[in-house]
Amino acid sequence: EKGILEVSHNLSSAELGKIVSKTKGYSGSDMRNFIQEACQGPVRDALSSATEESDVAKLCEQDLRPVVIKDFAMASRAQRATVSREEIERYETYNSKHGTSYLNNGSDQLEDEW
């Protein structure tokens, strides 16, 4: 949700929820690509409505409509999750055995000792 909040959009809370549920399992990179692809919708519409080549060169951000749910539906055809559930589980298992974690126990004492 953080990435899309940086984009001009007309999405309701329900639509944002739908996007979140439809992208379950997407990596951060997948989401970045997905949002970038969705943002191409307004650009494509602006380019298709340009009547002359000189109109394209003059396009600016204000000429673009906000991103809508249809743009995400179209983007979902181009961007899918690139990490399988099995791979995520493998990393979670590895991390639980060998990874690091932050424990808050005794943090006040640690600051005094450090």
Side-chain angles (χ1 to χ4, degrees):
E1 191 173 317
K2 179 183 174 192
I4 189 59
L5 294 179
E6 298 171 3
V7 174
S8 175
H9 65 84
N10 281 342
L11 298 166
S12 67
S13 293
E15 290 171 328
L16 284 171
K18 184 174 187 175
I19 292 167
V20 169
S21 69
K22 294 280 190 180
T23 56
K24 184 173 180 166
Y26 277 41
S27 68
S29 178
D30 294 338
M31 287 302 296
R32 183 190 71 233
N33 293 338
F34 179 65
I35 292 169
Q36 285 178 340
E37 182 63 31
C39 290
Q40 292 303 311
V43 174
R44 288 183 186 108
D45 285 354
L47 291 175
S48 69
S49 66
T51 56
E52 297 180 22
E53 278 188 44
S54 60
D55 292 341
V56 172
K58 295 176 189 173
L59 284 176
C60 63
E61 185 177 348
Q62 292 77 21
D63 297 326
L64 303 177
R65 65 167 172 76
V67 177
V68 295
I69 192 72
K70 178 185 89 170
D71 298 316
F72 286 95
M74 295 298 291
S76 70
R77 295 178 181 175
Q79 180 64 48
R80 302 268 184 201
T82 59
V83 182
S84 69
R85 182 70 211 150
E86 294 78 22
E87 194 170 356
I88 292 170
E89 289 171 1
R90 187 178 66 120
Y91 285 122
E92 288 172 344
T93 300
Y94 178 88
N95 192 50
S96 69
K97 289 180 182 178
H98 308 289
T100 61
S101 62
Y102 176 76
L103 300 176
N104 197 19
N105 299 344
S107 64
D108 294 335
Q109 182 182 1
L110 180 63
E111 285 181 31
D112 292 340
E113 292 174 3
W114 201 77

